[in-house]
Amino acid sequence: GQNIDQPTEMTATEGAIVQINCTYQTSGFNGLFWYQQHAGEAPTFLSYNVLDGLEEKGRFSSFLSRSKGYSYLLLKELQMKDSASYLCASLDSNYQLIWGAGTKLIIKP
Amino acid sequence: DAEITQSPRHKITETGRQVTLACHQTWNHNNMFWYRQDLGHGLRLIHYSYGVQDTNKGEVSDGYSVSRSNTEDLPLTLESAASSQTSVYFCASSEDPGTGSNEQFFGPGTRLTVL
């Protein structure tokens, strides 16, 4: 079956670093997405990885290991506005996104 | 600027009524998707379309239907609303695979309550 696992909730301190992990098992694989979703809003695109390795984009980085079915999103220099849910999604062989339930990130001052 | 819009943003209806949620995109994307989002679940695919006159069932399609008469619009119809269909509904669109980033662009969502 198809499955995406990520922690339900994480807490971190303003200014710190946090890593949100995601493991996936899908029918075929065409890449791994991370989206950010603030409460009451639509998901917005953060990153897309299709090759192994780390992709850095400002304060956010995303890592992929295809052989391990594993990805993580790394957020540096946390700001209060980073409080949101972070959604991991795998693009399967039919180019459909299979979504995890999301990780709610709480930032404390 | 290209965008994807949904209407209404909020809707309260009664059990058994037919409800249609609108989705309109100006990205000129062939691919359009409808999801529902419930607490504790990831986004779940209801229906999707890869082009005009093409529609396909997703993971949770029972009780829902869509039609695609043009590129811009994919309305979602709840044929006989049930309380289990109380949810937040998101529409999304994307380019064809292999032509772009495969990123899906989301509308602002419709919060539907079925009493």
Side-chain angles (χ1 to χ4, degrees):
Chain A
Q2 308 205 92
N3 196 48
I4 308 285
D5 282 320
Q6 53 182 129
T8 302
E9 187 175 295
M10 298 181 71
T11 302
T13 305
E14 190 177 15
I17 299 172
V18 71
Q19 178 175 312
I20 303 174
N21 296 324
C22 170
T23 58
Y24 65 89
Q25 190 173 20
T26 55
S27 303
F29 181 76
N30 282 299
L32 195 290
F33 285 85
W34 285 96
Y35 278 76
Q36 182 190 58
Q37 186 177 26
H38 285 101
E41 298 183 7
T44 55
F45 171 80
L46 285 178
S47 68
Y48 171 61
N49 295 63
V50 65
L51 300 176
D52 285 356
L54 186 68
E55 298 255 354
E56 297 187 69
K57 202 186 287 187
R59 294 190 298 115
F60 292 11
S61 302
S62 56
F63 171 84
L64 177 67
S65 168
R66 293 177 67 131
S67 62
K68 295 182 179 177
Y70 168 69
S71 174
Y72 67 72
L73 181 69
L74 191 71
L75 292 75
K76 302 177 186 175
E77 301 168 16
L78 286 169
Q79 302 175 9
M80 297 305 293
K81 67 179 182 179
D82 297 330
S83 292
S85 289
Y86 291 86
L87 313 181
C88 173
S90 173
L91 194 65
D92 73 7
S93 56
N94 294 319
Y95 288 91
Q96 289 181 19
L97 282 174
I98 308 301
W99 296 84
T103 298
K104 182 178 180 180
L105 179 63
I106 299 167
I107 310 295
K108 295 186 174 178
Chain B
D1 285 348
E3 62 178 355
I4 179 165
T5 57
Q6 294 182 233
S7 63
R9 294 294 312 279
H10 301 271
K11 174 80 176 176
I12 299 174
T13 191
E14 295 177 342
T15 301
R17 290 193 182 264
Q18 185 180 76
V19 176
T20 297
L21 309 183
C23 174
H24 179 82
Q25 54 99 2
T26 57
W27 290 98
N28 199 34
H29 287 160
N30 283 327
N31 304 332
M32 295 185 72
F33 308 86
W34 273 105
Y35 295 96
R36 61 178 289 174
Q37 187 175 40
D38 305 288
L39 207 60
H41 291 275
L43 288 160
R44 291 184 289 175
L45 186 63
I46 304 171
H47 281 285
Y48 60 100
S49 168
Y50 288 151
V52 176
Q53 301 301 332
D54 176 73
T55 61
N56 305 280
K57 294 181 178 180
E59 175 191 358
V60 290
S61 61
D62 285 350
Y64 304 93
S65 63
V66 293
S67 60
R68 188 88 180 272
S69 59
N70 58 52
T71 301
E72 296 79 19
D73 299 289
L74 187 71
L76 177 72
T77 297
L78 286 69
E79 292 135 16
S80 177
S83 57
S84 60
Q85 295 177 307
T86 292
S87 187
V88 179
Y89 291 85
F90 287 102
C91 180
S93 70
S94 71
E95 295 179 339
D96 290 334
T99 61
S101 69
N102 296 314
E103 174 189 350
Q104 289 188 10
F105 297 83
F106 283 81
T110 294
R111 184 174 294 276
L112 177 68
T113 302
V114 182
L115 300 176

